[in-house]
Amino acid sequence: MYTISQLAKQMNLSRSSLIYYDKIDLLKPSCRSSSNYRLYSEQDKVKLEQINQFRAAGLSLEAIKQLLQQNNSSAGLFLEQRLEQINHEICQLRSQQQQIVNLLGQTTLLPSTRLVNKAQWVEMLEASGMDEADMRQWHIEFERKLPEAHTDFLQSLGIPEQEIEIIKSWAK
Amino acid sequence: MYTISQLAKQMNLSRSSLIYYDKIDLLKPSCRSSSNYRLYSEQDKVKLEQINQFRAAGLSLEAIKQLLQQNNSSAGLFLEQRLEQINHEICQLRSQQQQIVNLLGQTTLLPSTRLVNKAQWVEMLEASGMDEADMRQWHIEFERKLPEAHTDFLQSLGIPEQEIEIIKSWAK
DNA sequence: GCTAAACTGTGAAGTTATAGTCAGGTCAAA
DNA sequence: TTTGACCTGACTATAACTTCACAGTTTAGC
């Protein structure tokens, strides 16, 4: 049996989070002490570990609650939906990066450039022995194997939609 | 002069957003009609356009408010901070993707794989004529030119920290 | 046995950037 | 003048907590 603060510390959560989980019926302690203090069992702890796993995947507490209640494996569905959502969010963040680059004026002014652009990428591939034909072949492979990922990759280099279309069409 | 709904429609915002902007002193209409309706001037509209630009970069309304008040170009600072934050958020989302992949079991079960892993990447580079030595050279180039971006890239392939360290150390 | 510190409980309010609802106000046509 | 359409400000709800206030409880030291 653990008190609320003990469990919170072990799980690297705040006490208030556990109180909140109790309130929304996500995780209720299986006992209470004589003075009405929350007491968490080993089983409660296991459940909290599960909750944390799903939380690390970015599922909402509401979704976690549902899939823990319906003990079956509806988890797959939720997780796949979440994957879609993550892709969407990453796209949005990329678009925000582009917006900032535009607002800041020139790419060269960027502080510690974590953003790689097309020119840099080409330069690096050339430096390791690729020529234009090789790169074309590489895009064709990429498009055939993983078309969505290919699009994501091209977008991340800040390449305009039109050019992306052209590159993707090489594979046809 | 625009009424609140006119301006909202033009700017592709909801009426409630403009009411909210008024409430938090981000954008107050410069006049009110005799019946106390909000009336927005051309200048208000220009300001709202600026706000939208910063919003597209993902800045918080609080940050936007500050940098519009201090009319000077403290914008750069905010934008650079936001870039850092975006990197952080993308890393988190990647980590969530990995968590989901782990929870789902095998990569092969993934629906439409947008995630590229190490094996796939190597395969594609090989198919376009790169050998192991070339790839090593490529990593060395990448590390010298853009170390942070290199780390991000390796992380995105789901490569464990230890191996990332090794690959990065090739450049020394 | 007493006091103080550290812990616990409940409940309310605050956080962000909106979307949605609602009673009532305003305006144009009939 | 009345009807109906449209419009308004104000309010509430959202997710996942955190912070606050206040009161009761347990524990440690003396």
Side-chain angles (χ1 to χ4, degrees):
Chain A
M1 290 294 179
Y2 309 98
T3 65
I4 189 167
S5 289
Q6 280 170 2
L7 188 65
K9 197 168 178 185
Q10 279 179 47
M11 293 296 171
N12 214 25
L13 282 170
S14 71
R15 190 176 77 101
S16 19
S17 297
L18 289 180
I19 292 176
Y20 179 67
Y21 291 176
D22 185 353
K23 188 163 131 195
I24 65 170
D25 299 332
L26 175 61
L27 180 72
K28 288 196 164 315
S30 39
C31 326
R32 291 281 188 146
S33 79
S34 56
S35 48
N36 202 32
Y37 285 11
R38 290 173 181 83
L39 290 175
Y40 293 88
S41 69
E42 228 23 84
Q43 235 180 342
D44 294 336
K45 187 173 162 181
V46 170
K47 189 170 172 188
L48 186 53
E49 274 159 6
Q50 286 184 320
I51 291 171
N52 276 344
Q53 279 202 318
F54 289 120
R55 228 170 40 106
L59 293 192
S60 71
L61 297 187
E62 185 53 38
I64 296 173
K65 186 171 143 189
Q66 280 181 39
L67 67 82
L68 287 182
Q69 276 170 1
Q70 316 161 4
N71 205 15
N72 60 2
S73 56
S74 64
L77 189 65
F78 281 102
L79 291 173
E80 285 173 20
Q81 282 175 355
R82 177 62 189 150
L83 268 188
E84 260 313 297
Q85 202 188 342
I86 289 174
N87 283 326
H88 184 66
E89 286 173 26
I90 287 181
C91 281
Q92 280 189 318
L93 289 174
R94 287 222 191 93
S95 135
Q96 293 189 1
Q97 281 179 330
Q98 286 302 322
Q99 291 295 327
I100 294 179
V101 170
N102 293 345
L103 282 171
L104 283 176
Q106 269 96 17
T107 316
T108 53
L109 289 177
L110 288 177
S112 63
T113 309
R114 263 190 143 96
L115 265 181
V116 189
N117 61 32
K118 182 186 171 187
Q120 291 167 322
W121 198 261
V122 168
E123 202 180 333
M124 289 189 299
L125 287 178
E126 275 172 349
S128 42
M130 267 189 157
D131 62 20
E132 210 173 311
D134 292 333
M135 288 186 212
R136 198 180 168 108
Q137 185 56 40
W138 175 61
H139 279 298
I140 291 172
E141 284 293 318
F142 206 158
E143 182 64 21
R144 294 226 170 107
K145 280 211 173 61
L146 303 159
E148 297 98 336
H150 191 203
T151 307
D152 287 351
F153 171 76
L154 294 170
Q155 280 178 354
S156 80
L157 298 184
I159 293 174
E161 285 301 323
Q162 289 185 332
E163 200 177 338
I164 291 180
E165 279 311 308
I166 293 169
I167 295 173
K168 285 171 78 74
S169 72
W170 290 346
K172 285 165 197 165
Chain B
M1 288 295 180
Y2 310 98
T3 66
I4 188 167
S5 289
Q6 280 172 0
L7 188 64
K9 196 167 180 184
Q10 279 181 47
M11 292 298 170
N12 214 24
L13 279 171
S14 72
R15 193 177 65 98
S16 331
S17 299
L18 289 180
I19 291 176
Y20 180 65
Y21 292 177
D22 184 354
K23 186 164 135 195
I24 65 170
D25 299 333
L26 175 61
L27 179 72
K28 289 196 162 316
S30 38
C31 327
R32 292 281 187 146
S33 77
S34 54
S35 46
N36 204 30
Y37 286 9
R38 291 172 180 83
L39 290 175
Y40 294 89
S41 69
E42 232 17 88
Q43 233 179 344
D44 294 335
K45 186 174 164 183
V46 170
K47 190 170 172 187
L48 185 53
E49 274 160 5
Q50 285 184 322
I51 290 172
N52 275 343
Q53 280 202 317
F54 289 120
R55 228 168 42 106
L59 293 191
S60 72
L61 298 186
E62 184 53 38
I64 295 173
K65 184 172 147 188
Q66 278 181 39
L67 68 80
L68 286 183
Q69 276 170 1
Q70 316 159 7
N71 204 16
N72 59 2
S73 57
S74 64
L77 189 64
F78 280 100
L79 290 173
E80 284 172 20
Q81 281 175 355
R82 177 62 191 152
L83 266 189
E84 260 311 299
Q85 203 189 339
I86 289 174
N87 284 325
H88 184 67
E89 285 172 27
I90 288 181
C91 281
Q92 279 188 319
L93 289 174
R94 285 213 192 105
S95 138
Q96 293 191 0
Q97 283 179 327
Q98 286 302 324
Q99 291 295 327
I100 293 178
V101 170
N102 294 343
L103 284 170
L104 282 177
Q106 271 96 16
T107 316
T108 53
L109 289 177
L110 288 178
S112 62
T113 308
R114 264 190 144 98
L115 267 180
V116 188
N117 62 32
K118 182 186 169 188
Q120 291 167 322
W121 199 261
V122 168
E123 203 181 331
M124 289 189 299
L125 287 179
E126 275 172 350
S128 42
M130 267 191 155
D131 62 20
E132 212 174 311
D134 291 332
M135 290 187 211
R136 198 182 169 105
Q137 186 54 41
W138 174 61
H139 279 298
I140 291 172
E141 282 293 319
F142 206 159
E143 181 64 22
R144 293 226 170 104
K145 280 211 173 62
L146 303 159
E148 297 100 335
H150 191 202
T151 306
D152 287 351
F153 172 75
L154 294 170
Q155 280 178 355
S156 80
L157 299 183
I159 294 174
E161 285 301 324
Q162 288 184 334
E163 199 178 336
I164 291 179
E165 280 311 308
I166 293 169
I167 294 172
K168 287 174 74 77
S169 73
W170 289 345
K172 282 164 199 161

